[in-house]
């Protein structure tokens, strides 16, 4: 069987020829550290700690005077900021950058395990000599790093007299971690009403991953989310005559629910490579060692083998499956009464190419095998997001920015597993890319929403550099002569 050659496409993302300028900037890391003690924990608007969000807004104004003088700033919800840096009279494009101010709370039981207090923004020197040091705390990765790095970029560019040719917009939400309904969604609604559409959006999402991709364990890979999975929960109910527990029937509502949950572990669908993962393979397979490259080159024969490989880690499974897991269960009222019903709520994350209706149908079919029925319980959006282009020049420019700031990294599209604020802007942008420009290994990724969330000082400085490149490439502006 001939082996089809796989050609590397990494050279498509050569360092841009356009001159990207990095105006001198001091104290970026200090300002990131200062942003961490604001405990901007997302809340329903009625419960929001408005004093903290007010103070954080004042901190931004005080730290970035040139941004607030140069850009138009609107407030949505109570504390969501929408900034516009107008392009020139010949502008034809609109670009939107998204980051969020809010953070998730810290599990009180984990506090003792933190190397520095979670809302300290403390600097801890690195003892291994690999990097200068680390800033600790909630938001150092998700997502104050992006927000502050963008503000640093805007402050330095606007202070230097940079004039974007194209329009630049920035949305800094207040409740991304709980869906964005009182933040980014209001900005999106405004854009919809005003007929403001975007050529491209850049939001958080993928990272530059090291050590997590089979075959590329030693190479950093920039995973740029070109789609995000959908979110759907389903309620499955089992009704069966109960009775006295002294004379039970062979089957009960609870035993049927248990059978259903057991069967759910087998999965509702077969694993598959959805569109963003096809792009991932095209971008990365040519960079893999010969043995794996051969497997990818003969996909028509080896697909089951490859999918099998991806079932071995929980990330691999999430990338290739419409996941389904029971998350809530309730039944029974008294220890000596066999209940007449049992209820199981299940959560699914949906791949591009599968619809929520497909998923509900599968739940219903499986439930029926155990005498149960299925109904939608909670949905966010309508399935997975559309898949954005990797051929488009706006994607290529993100790839170029990666190569300029992280020359050793490979560029690849990716499927974002979790939700982001950009889902609120669905239908408003030609392309949406989800990427946080930071190199992280698996342990560091665990800090996101977990223990010891931290960022290296040079990692943060590179984030600022990355946004400098993307903002300048997308906006195609000029510095004063
Ligand atoms: Zn986030």
């Amino acid at each position: 069987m001939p082996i089809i050659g796989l050609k590397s496409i990494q050279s498509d993302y050569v360092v841009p020829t356009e001159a990207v300028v990095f105006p001198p900037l001091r104290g970026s890391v200090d300002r990131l550290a200062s942003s961490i003690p604001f405990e901007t924990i997302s809340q329903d608007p009625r419960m929001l700690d408005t004093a903290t969000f007010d103070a954080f807004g004042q901190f931004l104004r005080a730290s970035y005077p040139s941004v607030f003088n140069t850009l138009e700033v609107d407030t949505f919800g109570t504390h969501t900021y929408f900034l516009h840096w107008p392009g020139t009279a010949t502008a034809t494009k609109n670009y939107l950058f998204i980051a969020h101010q809010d953070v998730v709370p810290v599990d009180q039981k984990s506090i003792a395990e933190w190397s520095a207090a979670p809302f300290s923004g403390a600097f801890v020197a690195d003892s291994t000599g690999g990097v200068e040091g680390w800033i600790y705390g909630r938001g150092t990765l998700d997502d104050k790093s992006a927000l502050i790095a963008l503000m640093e970029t805007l402050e330095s560019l606007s202070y230097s007299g940079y004039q974007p040719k194209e329009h630049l917009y920035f949305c800094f939400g207040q409740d991304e971690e709980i869906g964005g309904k009182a933040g980014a969604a209001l900005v999106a609604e405004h854009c919809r009403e005003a007929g403001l559409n975007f050529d491209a959006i850049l939001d958080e999402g993928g990272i530059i991953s090291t050590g997590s991709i089979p075959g590329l364990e030693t190479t950093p890979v920039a995973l740029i989310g070109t789609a995000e999975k959908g979110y759907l929960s389903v309620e499955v109910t089992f009704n069966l005559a109960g009775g006295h527990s002294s004379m039970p029937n062979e089957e009960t509502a609870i035993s049927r629910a248990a059978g259903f949950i057991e069967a759910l572990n087998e999965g509702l669908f077969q694993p598959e490579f959805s569109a963003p993962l096809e792009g991932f393979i095209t971008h990365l397979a040519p960079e893999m060692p010969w043995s794996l490259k051969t497997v990818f080159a003969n996909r028509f024969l080896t697909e089951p083998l490859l999918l099998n490989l991806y079932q071995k880690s929980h990330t691999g499974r999430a990338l290739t499956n419409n996941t389904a897991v029971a998350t809530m269960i309730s039944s029974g009222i008294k220890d000596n009464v066999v209940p007449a019903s049992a209820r199981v709520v299940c959560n699914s994350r949906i791949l591009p190419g599968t619809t929520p209706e497909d998923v509900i149908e599968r739940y219903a079919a499986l439930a029926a095998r155990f005498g149960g029925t299925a109904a939608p319980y909670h949905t966010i959006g309508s399935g997975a997001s559309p898949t954005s282009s990797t051929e488009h020049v706006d994607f290529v420019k993100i790839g170029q920015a990666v190569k300029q700031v992280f020359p050793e990294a490979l560029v690849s599209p990716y499927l974002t597993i979790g939700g982001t604020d950009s889902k609120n802007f669905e239908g408003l942008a030609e392309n949406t890319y989800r990427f946080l420009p930071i190199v992280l290994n698996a342990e560091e990724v665990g800090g996101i929403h977990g223990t010891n969330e931290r960022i290296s000082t040079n990692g943060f400085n590179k984030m600022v550099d990355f946004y400098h490149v993307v903002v300048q490439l997308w906006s195609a502006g000029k510095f004063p002569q």
Side-chain angles (χ1 to χ4, degrees), residues 100 102 141-143 176-177 203-205 419-420 448-449:
H100 60 91
D102 60 307
L141 291 173
D142 182 12
D143 186 35
E176 188 275 344
E177 298 292 359
D203 193 1
E204 62 175 341
T420 68
I448 298 173
H449 294 202

Side-chain angles (χ1 to χ4, degrees), residues 234 236 260 268 359-369 372-375:
V234 171
V236 183
F260 166 82
L268 294 173
V359 177
I360 294 168
E361 223 167 83
R362 296 289 174 108
Y363 272 109
L366 184 64
R369 269 175 50 199
T373 54

Side-chain angles (χ1 to χ4, degrees), residues 226-227 271 388 478:
T226 49
S388 293
K478 279 200 186 98

Side-chain angles (χ1 to χ4, degrees), residues 12-22 93 95 97 153 157 162-168 200 202 392-405 465-479:
D12 293 359
Y13 308 105
V14 289
V15 174
T17 49
E18 295 97 319
V20 171
V21 179
F22 300 92
K93 294 180 172 174
Y95 290 100
F97 293 80
T153 302
L157 289 178
Y162 180 79
Q163 170 58 55
K165 176 184 174 289
E166 309 296 354
H167 292 284
L168 295 173
L202 181 61
H392 197 284
V393 66
D394 289 333
F395 179 86
V396 175
K397 285 177 177 174
I398 294 177
Q400 288 174 328
V402 168
K403 291 281 192 194
Q404 175 150 352
V405 182
D465 287 350
F466 172 86
Y467 288 121
H468 263 287
V469 184
V470 178
V471 165
Q472 289 179 52
L473 290 183
W474 275 5
S475 69
K478 279 200 186 98
F479 286 92

Side-chain angles (χ1 to χ4, degrees), residues 112-158:
E113 293 160 40
W114 283 70
S115 303
F119 286 99
S120 63
F123 172 84
V124 177
D126 185 64
S127 51
T128 63
V131 293
E132 194 193 314
W134 304 86
I135 303 295
Y136 274 80
R138 257 302 167 264
T140 51
L141 291 173
D142 182 12
D143 186 35
K144 280 180 178 159
S145 54
L147 194 163
I148 298 295
L150 279 166
M151 289 304 271
E152 293 290 325
T153 302
L154 294 180
E155 181 72 8
S156 102
L157 289 178
S158 60

